[in-house]
Amino acid sequence: MATSRRIERVASMVKREVSLMLLNGIKDDRVGAGMVSVTDVIVSGDLQHTKIFVSIYGTDEAKAETMEGLKSATSYVRSQLGQRLQLRRTPEVIFLEDHSLERGDKMLMLLNQLSADRKPDILDTEEEFADDESPD
């Protein structure tokens, strides 16, 4: 079992190397269909498995096409990680789509909508208080 510090270090190295591969290493055209970025990497405690979370910007069809391309490139990514990282065993690679950025955007939109809806109410109550404080 590896220490948590080593797990974090391996995860950051995997994240860096996979990001570089996405920029210029993977030649599959499907991967270029949507804008892809690595958001997080989780490495198991025994360093045998990695989950690579990717955020894909584009249409739903582009997202599906990009995920298919990434899943077909897993063997290439694993072999490249084996060459680039100095590990005893190269971990198994699993690509997962990360929806957290989309959920965050949706939450911000809802919060902005709520604050826009509440502003007229606040202005009305401020005017009432101003009317109450004025001497008659």
Side-chain angles (χ1 to χ4, degrees):
M1 190 78 163
T3 63
S4 63
R5 187 173 179 189
R6 179 177 166 115
I7 292 169
E8 290 174 18
R9 199 169 69 231
V10 169
S12 70
M13 289 189 313
V14 168
K15 184 176 182 178
R16 183 186 70 232
E17 294 299 329
V18 171
S19 296
L20 290 173
M21 281 185 246
L22 287 173
L23 282 176
N24 53 17
I26 299 175
K27 302 293 185 213
D28 194 343
D29 290 334
R30 295 178 292 181
V31 175
M35 206 167 68
V36 183
S37 64
V38 178
T39 56
D40 195 17
V41 174
I42 297 176
V43 179
S44 66
D46 59 357
L47 303 176
Q48 299 299 309
H49 302 281
T50 61
K51 293 180 183 178
I52 301 172
F53 292 92
V54 293
S55 177
I56 304 169
Y57 183 75
T59 64
D60 289 336
E61 295 122 10
K63 289 179 183 182
E65 189 176 338
T66 302
M67 281 306 294
E68 287 176 26
L70 287 173
K71 287 183 181 180
S72 69
T74 53
S75 60
Y76 170 77
V77 170
R78 184 174 185 221
S79 68
Q80 287 296 308
L81 285 175
Q83 291 175 6
R84 296 178 185 195
L85 304 178
Q86 300 298 319
L87 296 174
R88 200 170 286 143
R89 276 194 58 173
T90 306
E92 295 287 329
V93 174
I94 299 171
F95 283 102
L96 299 169
E97 190 173 355
D98 188 6
H99 298 285
S100 63
L101 295 176
E102 294 169 1
R103 284 193 305 256
D105 286 341
K106 184 177 179 181
M107 291 300 290
L108 283 174
M109 183 184 70
L110 290 172
L111 289 171
N112 288 337
Q113 184 179 3
L114 280 174
S115 69
D117 291 345
R118 287 187 172 205
K119 282 185 182 176
D121 295 340
I122 292 172
L123 292 175
D124 291 341
T125 56
E126 287 177 358
E127 289 174 2
E128 288 176 13
F129 285 125
D131 291 340
D132 291 340
E133 292 176 2
S134 63
D136 290 321

